[in-house]
């Protein structure tokens, strides 16, 4: 029997030993899905705290309830490890490690390289390895394959390699790992076939594509599409502001068009570890190919300017109340990068807090999902304060993240002045409300 047939048999009988490297908001949900489908799954992460929590059956990922995780761990279907020696016993491996950008906006591939180096030490014929981390087109073929292929280990024959973009939307109650269509492209047709068979065991919809580069580019198109359209509406917000037009009303009315339009909304800037970052993987690669992805650069500039635009709005609003920013108390409502989540990575709230501090304002914040902000160069160490206290005492309240459970009517009643960057106070009319 060929390696392909042998591995396909293990996958389809769910006797394959599944490995997931990287147990974050992508890897842990994926591990849970495959363990829930009946596979024995080993998750590997360098963070001992994550691995220890996993082995206690305790979830540390908002979208995975402990009530779902614990029984899988108890049943021995899912366990965590910090070393890679268990790779020797694995049949499949998904790599779900971070792909951050350096400050110079070029890709930091160190997490992928380190993971592959460790896996390669225990790699054996008959394995399927799939990269899920968002990256530039060509990574799987140009960077990963040479780390595994040898004279006696030919891809598509002795082992199989694919790329499959992760599409997790943290906090999305309707779409979670199992019911988000899964794109997968292999280095050879046999790789694509076995990669698709693998995902079909645990996920509802699988979308095979012709190559790893297509699969890598699918992800970048998806996220670049979002980033550019958010940049467009952010620019519209600045144009409408200058022309005294309510941009929110414009977008809501445009959204009544039943075809050919998709609403995006202005905001305080672009947060998260994907949308503001992934498109620059594409522009970095295209520059190497001698072409410039100008839309990406321009959208990055517009989105990056939004925190400054918000602080200008705050400055002008205070000025209209004869108060300089310097010495004024500004209370920030919401510091997570979007509502209903606890993640502050790349959050525009951090830029706004930093800029306000530079202007000499006294800044406090409230966020039910983020009780504590670590100092990170841009912002000092901060602890959230009570919403009522902050909104009553501040000279200006700024809504940066529109968490649902804020008491908006109470905020409007208590606050002296409010800058609303999310249209959270839609329907509230008051001279003390200033909107983007
Ligand atoms: N934002 C706006 N206006 C909008 C939409 C979003 O200002 O109209 C802001 C958000 O406040 C946030 C940032 O953009 O700061 C990113 O928003 P997001 O909803 O794209 O947030 P992510 O990064 O958690 O999720 C995205 C996925 N989101 C959706 O599909 C809705 C998706 O783009 C990716 O699959 C995923 O990141 C990823 O991991 O790549």
């Amino acid at each position: 029997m060929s390696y392909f047939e042998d591995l396909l048999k293990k996958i389809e009988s769910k006797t394959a030993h599944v490995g997931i490297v990287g147990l974050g908001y992508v890897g842990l949900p994926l591990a849970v899905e495959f363990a829930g489908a009946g596979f024995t799954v080993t998750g590997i992460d360098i963070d001992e705290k994550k691995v220890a929590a996993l082995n206690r059956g305790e979830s540390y990922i908002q979208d995975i309830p402990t009530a779902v995780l614990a029984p899988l761990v108890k049943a021995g279907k899912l366990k965590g490890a910090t070393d890679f020696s268990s790779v020797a016993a694995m049949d499949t491996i998904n790599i779900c490690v971070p792909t951050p950008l350096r400050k110079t906006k070029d890709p930091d591939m160190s997490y992928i390289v380190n993971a592959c180096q460790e896996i390669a030490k225990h790699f054996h014929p008959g394995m399927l390895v799939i990269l899920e981390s968002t990256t530039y087109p060509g990574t799987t073929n140009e960077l990963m394959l040479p780390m595994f292929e040898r004279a006696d280990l030919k891809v598509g024959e002795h082992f199989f390699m694919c790329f499959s973009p992760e599409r997790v939307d943290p906090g999305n109650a309707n779409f979670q790992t199992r019911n988000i269509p899964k794109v997968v492209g292999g280095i050879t047709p046999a790789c694509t076939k076995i990669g698709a068979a693998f995902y079909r065991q645990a996920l509802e919809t699988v979308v095979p594509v012709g190559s790893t580069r297509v699969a890598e580019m699918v992800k970048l198109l998806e996220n670049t599409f979002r980033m550019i359209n958010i940049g467009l509406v952010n620019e519209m917000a600045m144009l409408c502001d200058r022309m005294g037009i309510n941009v929110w009303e414009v977008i809501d009315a445009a959204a009544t068009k039943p075809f050919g339009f998709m609403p995006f909304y202005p905001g305080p800037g672009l947060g998260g570890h994907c949308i503001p970052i992934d498109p620059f993987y594409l522009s970095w690669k295209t520059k190497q190919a001698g072409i410039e992805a100008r839309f990406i650069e321009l959208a990055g500039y517009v989105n990056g300017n939004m925190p400054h635009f918000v602080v200008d709005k705050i400055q002008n609003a205070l000025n209209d109340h004869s108060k300089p920013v310097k010495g004024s108390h500004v209370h920030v409502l919401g510091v997570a990068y979007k509502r209903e989540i606890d993640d502050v990575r790349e959050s525009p709230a951090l830029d706004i807090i930093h800029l306000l501090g530079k202007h000499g304002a006294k800044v406090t914040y409230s966020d039910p999902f983020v009780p504590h902000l670590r100092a990170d160069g841009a912002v000092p160490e901060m602890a959230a304060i009570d919403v009522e206290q902050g909104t009553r005492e501040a000279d200006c309240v700024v809504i940066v993240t529109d968490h649902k459970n804020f008491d908006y009517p109470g905020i409007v009643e208590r606050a002296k002045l409010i800058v609303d960057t999310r249209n959270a106070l839609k329907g509230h009319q008051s001279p003390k409300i200033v909107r983007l």
Side-chain angles (χ1 to χ4, degrees):
M1 192 185 297
S2 70
Y3 285 113
F4 178 88
E5 290 161 331
D6 182 43
L7 180 56
L8 187 60
K9 195 156 162 287
K10 285 178 183 170
I11 286 172
E12 290 178 341
S13 63
K14 297 193 171 66
T15 56
H17 183 166
V18 172
I20 309 281
V21 176
L23 294 173
Y25 77 97
V26 174
L28 187 65
L30 193 65
V32 165
E33 286 307 334
F34 275 90
F39 289 87
T40 299
V41 181
T42 300
I44 298 177
D45 200 295
I46 54 173
D47 182 340
E48 288 170 7
K49 288 203 293 296
K50 282 195 176 82
V51 169
L54 168 56
N55 286 330
R56 289 196 303 272
E58 287 166 22
S59 176
Y60 46 86
I61 294 288
Q62 196 177 326
D63 290 339
I64 298 292
T66 288
V68 168
L69 180 69
L72 295 171
V73 174
K74 194 160 183 292
K77 298 306 281 179
L78 174 54
K79 70 177 188 305
T82 52
D83 69 283
F84 283 76
S85 56
S86 48
V87 169
M90 289 174 189
D91 300 298
T92 70
I93 292 209
N94 291 67
I95 302 173
C96 308
V97 296
T99 46
L101 272 188
R102 299 183 204 285
K103 286 291 171 216
T104 48
K105 286 223 185 299
D106 58 333
D108 174 0
M109 305 305 285
S110 61
Y111 293 87
I112 292 180
V113 170
N114 293 341
C116 290
Q117 282 171 341
E118 289 302 321
I119 294 166
K121 288 175 188 167
H122 310 280
F123 199 68
H124 55 79
M127 287 192 82
L128 165 63
V129 57
I130 302 177
L131 178 61
E132 293 216 1
S133 310
T134 305
T135 182
Y136 61 82
T139 301
T140 311
N141 288 57
E142 298 161 16
L143 180 73
M144 228 171 105
L145 180 59
M147 298 176 80
F148 291 91
E149 197 164 45
R150 301 191 311 249
D152 60 342
L153 260 183
K154 295 302 289 170
V155 71
E157 189 185 339
H158 302 112
F159 73 98
F160 308 93
M161 186 174 279
C162 298
F163 182 84
S164 175
E166 59 88 0
R167 284 173 156 177
V168 175
D169 182 21
N172 189 322
N174 302 320
F175 294 104
Q176 292 289 314
T177 298
R178 184 181 309 162
N179 68 345
I180 297 172
K182 192 75 168 133
V183 169
V184 57
I187 293 197
T188 71
C191 298
T192 305
K193 206 166 166 196
I194 207 146
F198 170 72
Y199 284 118
R200 279 197 193 98
Q201 307 310 310
L203 308 181
E204 286 174 15
T205 311
V206 178
V207 182
V209 293
S211 71
T212 56
R213 284 185 171 83
V214 166
E216 289 159 341
M217 200 59 161
V218 162
K219 176 68 182 178
L220 294 177
L221 173 60
E222 288 168 4
N223 281 8
T224 302
F225 166 80
R226 280 186 75 71
M227 177 216 185
I228 283 175
N229 279 286
I230 294 165
L232 171 64
V233 289
N234 279 332
E235 183 166 78
M236 287 297 275
M238 290 189 274
L239 299 176
C240 287
D241 181 65
R242 188 59 60 90
M243 297 188 284
I245 298 171
N246 181 329
V247 69
W248 304 96
E249 199 179 350
V250 169
I251 294 167
D252 283 350
T256 60
K257 183 177 179 188
F259 50 84
F261 181 79
M262 179 179 178
F264 285 84
Y265 300 94
L270 214 43
H273 32 287
C274 310
I275 305 306
I277 289 170
D278 298 347
F280 290 98
Y281 270 85
L282 179 57
S283 63
W284 174 81
K285 186 68 177 176
T286 56
K287 270 185 201 135
Q288 292 197 343
I291 44 176
E292 199 185 351
R294 287 175 296 169
F295 274 111
I296 293 174
E297 303 297 331
L298 177 60
Y301 169 75
V302 171
N303 290 324
N305 183 55
M306 291 313 285
H308 296 269
F309 183 70
V310 167
V311 171
D312 288 350
K313 295 285 281 186
I314 294 168
Q315 189 158 14
N316 294 335
L318 283 167
N319 190 54
D320 291 347
H321 287 68
S322 308
K323 290 181 183 167
V325 174
K326 189 171 185 157
S328 289
H329 174 188
V330 180
H331 187 62
V332 174
L333 284 180
V335 292
Y337 74 80
K338 69 175 185 179
R339 67 166 137 189
E340 309 315 306
I341 60 160
D342 59 7
D343 194 340
V344 296
R345 281 179 289 184
E346 306 290 327
S347 174
L350 305 181
D351 299 312
I352 291 167
I353 289 170
H354 173 67
L355 291 168
L356 288 169
K358 272 178 70 176
H359 282 71
K362 175 198 167 208
V363 187
T364 56
Y365 85 92
S366 300
D367 188 316
F369 292 84
V370 187
H372 192 251
L373 268 184
R374 281 201 308 272
D376 79 347
V379 296
E381 184 104 23
M382 294 173 81
I385 71 168
D386 173 67
V387 177
E388 284 208 21
Q389 176 196 353
T391 51
R392 180 176 300 106
E393 292 173 0
D395 299 303
C396 178
V397 171
V398 54
I399 300 172
V400 176
T401 309
D402 50 335
H403 291 310
K404 290 182 192 135
N405 72 356
F406 278 137
D407 165 23
Y408 291 109
I411 289 161
V412 173
E413 199 184 306
R414 279 190 303 274
K416 302 178 190 70
L417 173 63
I418 306 169
V419 172
D420 180 3
T421 73
R422 298 284 194 174
N423 204 27
L425 302 180
K426 180 178 180 180
H428 288 268
Q429 296 307 329
S430 160
K432 59 178 152 178
I433 299 173
V434 174
R435 300 179 209 279
L436 268 199

